[in-house]
Amino acid sequence: MIEIDNVRKSFGALEVLKGVSMTVQRGEVVSVIGGSGSGKSTLLMCINGLEPIDSGRILVDGVEVHAKGTDLNKLRRNIGIVFQQWNAFPHLTVLENTTLALRKVLGKSRDEANAIAIKQLEHVGLGDKLKVFPGRLSGGQQQRMAIARALAMSPNYMLFDEVTSALDPQLVGEVLDTMRLLAKEGMTMIVVTHEMGFAREVSNRVAFFKDGLIHEIGTPKQIFEAPERPETATFLSSVL
Amino acid sequence: MFDTAVSLNDLWFLLQGAGWTLLITAIAVAGGTFLGMVFGVTRATMPVWVSLPIGFVLDIFRSVPLLIQLVLFNSFIPIMGLRASPFTVSCLVLALYTSAYCSEIVRGGVLAVPQTTRRAARSLGLTWGQDMREIVFPLALRIMLPSWIGLTLGVMKDTALVAWIGVIELLKSSQILITRMANEPLFILSIAGLIYFLISFPIARLGARLEKKWREND
């Protein structure tokens, strides 16, 4: 379970999170929608401790992320994150990209790591690209590799930060399909997205984010068909 | 027929000088690169109050002519009551000089690795050190290599200046020969120049080959 409790965070004078609270249960898929620059991505970075917070707290399986003495490297093994910019390691092959953390962080042997990585890469449809360098892949393939790389660590949680925003339109589908598959398999996911169709179809709950606050959170049906807050309705009418 | 007083013995004398040139270059580049990595990474990753003073000291090494540095060090060491041969002083000064330039190359290379790539590495649970070793250095290396090869070749030629404090390296050897065979300076200097070229060429080629190999992966 991920518990976000009244989290505030500023970059200099700019307060990007103004007291965000949200709970995500195991097995749940929560989509976070809202305009650009509303703090959605920052929230994801805070969940796995890539960004410090100013106040409030975030608990992942009961462990306080920003407490002193929390082993962030250990915590992060359990939380996969995929970014908007796919962030492949360009000097490593697809297979090496996927096995790096397995070997260095989890201490698996090369053979063990390869077996796990190949399974994950086949899962996302990259079984024939193992020896290829990321520079030779399309954006969609690189993004699927990034998903496989995160999944290889067998995390309990997956965070997706606008993973289709930097892709050519014709490549968006393949990445969304991979995420649908994951959701179906019961992965706990927080998905920051501009893909309203995806949010509506796959999520258990949808959170509407604006100006550093969650204005409304509920089932897709509630949010998309009968939003309670006028801000939500305005936003939805602008994107749908 | 071409007639010269330069004997095989003289040639051997030149090659011995070239040996010293190579040795000083190797020590200076090895030491300078090691120190340059330490300084460069420190400057790229540490807060301003650490990196600024280091940068200032290194700037001195970069901006004072090497010849002045050599002479000053060579004179100050006995004044401070220490003893060091001209060879040791040469290696020391050149290594510091190299490290000053190398630290800038390393700093630039490390900073050129995108923050987002490093975040991806850390998000997989890699520690700061693992991120440095597995991601930052291999990527920075590609960026740094051409400048580093240039630096190495430059330092190799700069070793000629250590002749000033009495090390008999390649240039000094050729000057000694010239004082003996005063009517053949051009021929002797040509031989010395050829030897410098023969040392540089493989280094430059190696660099070009590595660059090409790495580019093929991108």
Side-chain angles (χ1 to χ4, degrees):
Chain A
M1 187 164 74
I2 297 177
E3 295 156 273
I4 300 166
D5 182 18
N6 199 23
V7 167
R8 288 173 176 272
K9 169 164 185 72
S10 306
F11 290 110
L14 181 72
E15 192 171 34
V16 282
L17 301 178
K18 301 175 182 170
V20 175
S21 298
M22 176 167 94
T23 303
V24 179
Q25 302 290 341
R26 287 291 288 270
E28 220 184 356
V29 177
V30 176
S31 289
V32 181
I33 61 173
S36 298
S38 57
K40 312 184 297 289
S41 300
T42 306
L43 182 65
L44 290 193
M45 305 279 193
C46 292
I47 293 175
N48 76 350
L50 281 172
E51 287 285 356
I53 59 176
D54 298 336
S55 67
R57 55 181 202 161
I58 299 175
L59 300 175
V60 176
D61 290 336
V63 177
E64 190 175 345
V65 177
H66 297 88
K68 269 199 182 123
T70 298
D71 185 348
L72 282 178
N73 295 321
K74 196 173 160 204
L75 181 93
R76 286 172 186 152
R77 295 173 200 172
N78 203 20
I79 309 172
I81 183 163
V82 184
F83 301 91
Q84 177 176 358
Q85 291 300 336
W86 32 83
N87 294 332
F89 307 136
H91 60 303
L92 301 176
T93 63
V94 168
L95 185 61
E96 288 164 346
N97 258 276
T98 318
T99 54
L100 180 70
L102 287 169
R103 293 174 53 212
K104 300 294 169 186
V105 178
L106 299 184
K108 300 215 180 281
S109 72
R110 189 181 287 269
D111 287 344
E112 258 181 304
N114 281 353
I116 296 170
I118 290 170
K119 196 170 141 243
Q120 289 301 340
L121 287 166
E122 280 171 351
H123 198 57
V124 300
L126 291 174
D128 56 338
K129 302 284 185 197
L130 302 180
K131 302 278 178 220
V132 175
F133 283 92
R136 298 278 163 93
L137 298 180
S138 73
Q141 288 170 328
Q142 290 202 41
Q143 196 57 294
R144 284 187 280 143
M145 184 198 80
I147 294 174
R149 189 171 71 183
L151 286 176
M153 302 294 283
S154 40
N156 288 330
Y157 305 96
M158 284 289 286
L159 313 178
F160 293 89
D161 184 11
E162 296 187 25
V163 292
T164 56
S165 298
L167 295 178
D168 291 338
Q170 74 272 20
L171 301 177
V172 168
E174 60 187 74
V175 175
L176 291 183
D177 284 343
T178 304
M179 290 165 67
R180 271 190 196 98
L181 189 66
L182 268 183
K184 213 172 283 171
E185 290 166 355
M187 175 62 76
T188 311
M189 295 159 59
I190 302 181
V191 185
V192 170
T193 187
H194 293 302
E195 298 288 335
M196 295 305 146
F198 177 83
R200 188 170 190 163
E201 169 202 334
V202 176
S203 321
N204 301 100
R205 282 187 300 154
V206 177
F208 172 64
F209 219 87
K210 187 172 187 269
D211 297 332
L213 275 174
I214 294 177
H215 281 245
E216 190 167 357
I217 183 164
T219 64
K221 202 174 161 63
Q222 245 174 288
I223 298 291
F224 285 102
E225 287 170 21
E228 285 172 10
R229 300 286 294 264
E231 294 95 337
T232 316
T234 313
F235 172 75
L236 286 173
S237 67
S238 73
V239 294
L240 288 178
Chain B
M1 203 191 109
F2 180 65
D3 198 29
T4 176
V6 177
S7 66
L8 274 182
N9 246 341
D10 295 332
L11 214 56
W12 178 237
F13 182 65
L14 279 180
L15 286 176
Q16 279 176 313
W20 286 107
T21 293
L22 261 180
L23 187 63
I24 295 171
T25 306
I27 294 173
V29 168
T33 302
F34 175 75
L35 284 175
M37 301 241 299
V38 174
F39 294 146
V41 170
T42 308
R43 293 204 60 204
T45 57
M46 295 287 164
V48 184
W49 59 271
V50 181
S51 85
L52 215 62
I54 295 178
F56 180 72
V57 174
L58 293 177
D59 268 346
I60 296 177
F61 280 102
R62 290 203 301 164
S63 38
V64 175
L66 188 57
L67 191 57
I68 297 178
Q69 293 185 37
L70 281 167
V71 173
L72 285 183
F73 258 78
N74 202 36
S75 318
F76 270 123
I77 283 180
I79 289 173
M80 289 191 301
L82 302 168
R83 286 176 51 177
S85 67
F87 171 75
T88 311
V89 172
S90 303
C91 291
L92 190 71
V93 170
L94 271 164
L96 286 171
Y97 175 80
T98 309
S99 79
Y101 280 94
C102 192
S103 72
E104 281 304 299
I105 296 174
V106 170
R107 190 174 76 99
V110 167
L111 290 179
V113 176
Q115 198 62 36
T116 50
T117 310
R118 301 189 56 182
R119 287 201 143 175
R122 295 305 302 276
S123 77
L124 289 167
L126 268 70
T127 61
W128 186 88
Q130 287 172 327
D131 170 41
M132 276 288 165
R133 251 194 330 277
E134 306 291 336
I135 308 296
V136 177
F137 277 136
L139 290 177
L141 203 62
R142 286 141 207 260
I143 301 163
M144 298 181 313
L145 185 80
S147 319
W148 184 84
I149 295 280
L151 177 64
T152 300
L153 295 179
V155 169
M156 202 268 294
K157 285 175 282 185
D158 287 343
T159 56
L161 291 172
V162 307
W164 193 272
I165 59 169
V167 180
I168 303 176
E169 41 63 73
L170 182 51
L171 186 71
K172 186 73 182 174
S173 320
S174 56
Q175 280 175 334
I176 291 172
L177 289 187
I178 289 169
T179 46
R180 188 149 56 75
M181 295 169 275
N183 53 347
E184 294 190 79
L186 295 183
F187 180 56
I188 294 168
L189 278 178
S190 300
I191 299 177
L194 180 69
I195 297 175
Y196 274 116
F197 173 75
L198 290 177
I199 299 173
S200 307
F201 189 66
I203 302 176
R205 288 306 309 155
L206 179 73
R209 256 182 55 186
L210 274 177
E211 256 185 273
K212 182 161 174 271
K213 191 180 148 215
W214 286 341
R215 233 196 336 261
E216 276 166 6
N217 293 340
D218 297 336

mmCIF file of all heavy atoms in Angstrom, chain A residues 111-131:
data_model
loop_
_atom_site.group_PDB
_atom_site.id
_atom_site.type_symbol
_atom_site.label_atom_id
_atom_site.label_comp_id
_atom_site.label_asym_id
_atom_site.label_seq_id
_atom_site.Cartn_x
_atom_site.Cartn_y
_atom_site.Cartn_z
ATOM 1 N N ASP A 111 23.783 -15.632 -15.622
ATOM 2 C CA ASP A 111 22.799 -16.548 -16.207
ATOM 3 C C ASP A 111 21.400 -16.308 -15.647
ATOM 4 O O ASP A 111 20.424 -16.238 -16.389
ATOM 5 C CB ASP A 111 23.208 -18.008 -15.953
ATOM 6 C CG ASP A 111 24.394 -18.401 -16.814
ATOM 7 O OD1 ASP A 111 24.665 -17.669 -17.787
ATOM 8 O OD2 ASP A 111 25.043 -19.419 -16.509
ATOM 9 N N GLU A 112 21.344 -16.196 -14.321
ATOM 10 C CA GLU A 112 20.053 -15.938 -13.668
ATOM 11 C C GLU A 112 19.426 -14.653 -14.195
ATOM 12 O O GLU A 112 18.248 -14.609 -14.569
ATOM 13 C CB GLU A 112 20.296 -15.743 -12.161
ATOM 14 C CG GLU A 112 19.969 -16.914 -11.277
ATOM 15 C CD GLU A 112 20.240 -16.518 -9.831
ATOM 16 O OE1 GLU A 112 21.379 -16.100 -9.516
ATOM 17 O OE2 GLU A 112 19.307 -16.602 -9.020
ATOM 18 N N ALA A 113 20.275 -13.598 -14.218
ATOM 19 C CA ALA A 113 19.796 -12.283 -14.651
ATOM 20 C C ALA A 113 19.316 -12.344 -16.098
ATOM 21 O O ALA A 113 18.253 -11.816 -16.435
ATOM 22 C CB ALA A 113 20.904 -11.239 -14.494
ATOM 23 N N ASN A 114 20.108 -13.018 -16.949
ATOM 24 C CA ASN A 114 19.710 -13.132 -18.352
ATOM 25 C C ASN A 114 18.356 -13.818 -18.489
ATOM 26 O O ASN A 114 17.505 -13.378 -19.266
ATOM 27 C CB ASN A 114 20.758 -13.914 -19.150
ATOM 28 C CG ASN A 114 21.954 -13.047 -19.495
ATOM 29 O OD1 ASN A 114 21.940 -11.837 -19.261
ATOM 30 N ND2 ASN A 114 22.984 -13.654 -20.042
ATOM 31 N N ALA A 115 18.160 -14.894 -17.716
ATOM 32 C CA ALA A 115 16.903 -15.638 -17.807
ATOM 33 C C ALA A 115 15.715 -14.737 -17.453
ATOM 34 O O ALA A 115 14.707 -14.704 -18.171
ATOM 35 C CB ALA A 115 16.958 -16.855 -16.887
ATOM 36 N N ILE A 116 15.856 -13.981 -16.352
ATOM 37 C CA ILE A 116 14.772 -13.096 -15.918
ATOM 38 C C ILE A 116 14.532 -12.003 -16.965
ATOM 39 O O ILE A 116 13.394 -11.722 -17.359
ATOM 40 C CB ILE A 116 15.124 -12.432 -14.568
ATOM 41 C CG1 ILE A 116 15.246 -13.505 -13.476
ATOM 42 C CG2 ILE A 116 14.075 -11.385 -14.190
ATOM 43 C CD1 ILE A 116 15.829 -12.996 -12.180
ATOM 44 N N ALA A 117 15.631 -11.416 -17.437
ATOM 45 C CA ALA A 117 15.520 -10.301 -18.374
ATOM 46 C C ALA A 117 14.882 -10.756 -19.684
ATOM 47 O O ALA A 117 14.007 -10.069 -20.234
ATOM 48 C CB ALA A 117 16.895 -9.691 -18.638
ATOM 49 N N ILE A 118 15.298 -11.911 -20.171
ATOM 50 C CA ILE A 118 14.753 -12.399 -21.445
ATOM 51 C C ILE A 118 13.255 -12.626 -21.315
ATOM 52 O O ILE A 118 12.467 -12.275 -22.200
ATOM 53 C CB ILE A 118 15.496 -13.683 -21.896
ATOM 54 C CG1 ILE A 118 16.927 -13.332 -22.323
ATOM 55 C CG2 ILE A 118 14.763 -14.359 -23.045
ATOM 56 C CD1 ILE A 118 17.830 -14.518 -22.556
ATOM 57 N N LYS A 119 12.859 -13.174 -20.155
ATOM 58 C CA LYS A 119 11.433 -13.411 -19.931
ATOM 59 C C LYS A 119 10.658 -12.089 -19.974
ATOM 60 O O LYS A 119 9.611 -11.997 -20.639
ATOM 61 C CB LYS A 119 11.256 -14.099 -18.562
ATOM 62 C CG LYS A 119 9.900 -14.735 -18.385
ATOM 63 C CD LYS A 119 9.872 -15.602 -17.126
ATOM 64 C CE LYS A 119 8.546 -15.446 -16.423
ATOM 65 N NZ LYS A 119 8.611 -14.863 -15.091
ATOM 66 N N GLN A 120 11.189 -11.069 -19.303
ATOM 67 C CA GLN A 120 10.499 -9.768 -19.283
ATOM 68 C C GLN A 120 10.499 -9.111 -20.659
ATOM 69 O O GLN A 120 9.511 -8.499 -21.068
ATOM 70 C CB GLN A 120 11.153 -8.828 -18.267
ATOM 71 C CG GLN A 120 10.921 -9.196 -16.814
ATOM 72 C CD GLN A 120 9.448 -9.245 -16.444
ATOM 73 O OE1 GLN A 120 8.598 -8.674 -17.132
ATOM 74 N NE2 GLN A 120 9.131 -9.942 -15.374
ATOM 75 N N LEU A 121 11.613 -9.233 -21.369
ATOM 76 C CA LEU A 121 11.698 -8.597 -22.686
ATOM 77 C C LEU A 121 10.759 -9.276 -23.671
ATOM 78 O O LEU A 121 10.139 -8.627 -24.512
ATOM 79 C CB LEU A 121 13.147 -8.614 -23.193
ATOM 80 C CG LEU A 121 14.062 -7.614 -22.453
ATOM 81 C CD1 LEU A 121 15.534 -7.895 -22.736
ATOM 82 C CD2 LEU A 121 13.721 -6.178 -22.832
ATOM 83 N N GLU A 122 10.637 -10.601 -23.551
ATOM 84 C CA GLU A 122 9.684 -11.304 -24.414
ATOM 85 C C GLU A 122 8.253 -10.874 -24.079
ATOM 86 O O GLU A 122 7.410 -10.704 -24.956
ATOM 87 C CB GLU A 122 9.851 -12.825 -24.258
ATOM 88 C CG GLU A 122 11.027 -13.354 -25.067
ATOM 89 C CD GLU A 122 11.365 -14.800 -24.776
ATOM 90 O OE1 GLU A 122 10.792 -15.375 -23.817
ATOM 91 O OE2 GLU A 122 12.221 -15.350 -25.501
ATOM 92 N N HIS A 123 8.030 -10.667 -22.781
ATOM 93 C CA HIS A 123 6.725 -10.249 -22.296
ATOM 94 C C HIS A 123 6.275 -8.942 -22.960
ATOM 95 O O HIS A 123 5.105 -8.745 -23.273
ATOM 96 C CB HIS A 123 6.812 -10.060 -20.779
ATOM 97 C CG HIS A 123 5.503 -10.053 -20.076
ATOM 98 N ND1 HIS A 123 4.605 -11.080 -20.159
ATOM 99 C CD2 HIS A 123 4.945 -9.141 -19.250
ATOM 100 C CE1 HIS A 123 3.553 -10.795 -19.428
ATOM 101 N NE2 HIS A 123 3.720 -9.627 -18.870
ATOM 102 N N VAL A 124 7.228 -8.022 -23.160
ATOM 103 C CA VAL A 124 6.875 -6.741 -23.782
ATOM 104 C C VAL A 124 7.135 -6.756 -25.287
ATOM 105 O O VAL A 124 7.100 -5.716 -25.953
ATOM 106 C CB VAL A 124 7.640 -5.548 -23.142
ATOM 107 C CG1 VAL A 124 7.313 -5.436 -21.665
ATOM 108 C CG2 VAL A 124 9.138 -5.671 -23.355
ATOM 109 N N GLY A 125 7.433 -7.935 -25.819
ATOM 110 C CA GLY A 125 7.571 -8.073 -27.270
ATOM 111 C C GLY A 125 8.908 -7.656 -27.835
ATOM 112 O O GLY A 125 9.009 -7.243 -28.988
ATOM 113 N N LEU A 126 9.972 -7.765 -27.015
ATOM 114 C CA LEU A 126 11.297 -7.386 -27.513
ATOM 115 C C LEU A 126 12.262 -8.574 -27.508
ATOM 116 O O LEU A 126 13.477 -8.397 -27.482
ATOM 117 C CB LEU A 126 11.881 -6.244 -26.672
ATOM 118 C CG LEU A 126 11.205 -4.884 -26.799
ATOM 119 C CD1 LEU A 126 11.814 -3.901 -25.799
ATOM 120 C CD2 LEU A 126 11.344 -4.341 -28.209
ATOM 121 N N GLY A 127 11.692 -9.784 -27.549
ATOM 122 C CA GLY A 127 12.516 -10.985 -27.476
ATOM 123 C C GLY A 127 13.534 -11.106 -28.601
ATOM 124 O O GLY A 127 14.560 -11.756 -28.439
ATOM 125 N N ASP A 128 13.293 -10.404 -29.705
ATOM 126 C CA ASP A 128 14.229 -10.510 -30.837
ATOM 127 C C ASP A 128 15.218 -9.352 -30.881
ATOM 128 O O ASP A 128 15.955 -9.192 -31.842
ATOM 129 C CB ASP A 128 13.441 -10.557 -32.153
ATOM 130 C CG ASP A 128 12.521 -9.352 -32.310
ATOM 131 O OD1 ASP A 128 12.176 -8.736 -31.271
ATOM 132 O OD2 ASP A 128 12.155 -9.027 -33.449
ATOM 133 N N LYS A 129 15.248 -8.521 -29.830
ATOM 134 C CA LYS A 129 16.119 -7.336 -29.854
ATOM 135 C C LYS A 129 17.201 -7.384 -28.774
ATOM 136 O O LYS A 129 17.791 -6.350 -28.458
ATOM 137 C CB LYS A 129 15.265 -6.075 -29.618
ATOM 138 C CG LYS A 129 14.143 -5.869 -30.604
ATOM 139 C CD LYS A 129 14.663 -5.364 -31.921
ATOM 140 C CE LYS A 129 13.510 -5.047 -32.846
ATOM 141 N NZ LYS A 129 13.964 -4.946 -34.247
ATOM 142 N N LEU A 130 17.450 -8.551 -28.212
ATOM 143 C CA LEU A 130 18.304 -8.639 -27.028
ATOM 144 C C LEU A 130 19.676 -8.014 -27.227
ATOM 145 O O LEU A 130 20.195 -7.332 -26.359
ATOM 146 C CB LEU A 130 18.477 -10.108 -26.622
ATOM 147 C CG LEU A 130 17.186 -10.873 -26.323
ATOM 148 C CD1 LEU A 130 17.499 -12.317 -25.940
ATOM 149 C CD2 LEU A 130 16.415 -10.196 -25.197
ATOM 150 N N LYS A 131 20.282 -8.260 -28.379
ATOM 151 C CA LYS A 131 21.677 -7.833 -28.588
ATOM 152 C C LYS A 131 21.769 -6.468 -29.259
ATOM 153 O O LYS A 131 22.837 -6.028 -29.660
ATOM 154 C CB LYS A 131 22.413 -8.853 -29.463
ATOM 155 C CG LYS A 131 22.418 -10.257 -28.900
ATOM 156 C CD LYS A 131 23.503 -10.414 -27.858
ATOM 157 C CE LYS A 131 23.486 -11.813 -27.252
ATOM 158 N NZ LYS A 131 23.729 -11.790 -25.809
#
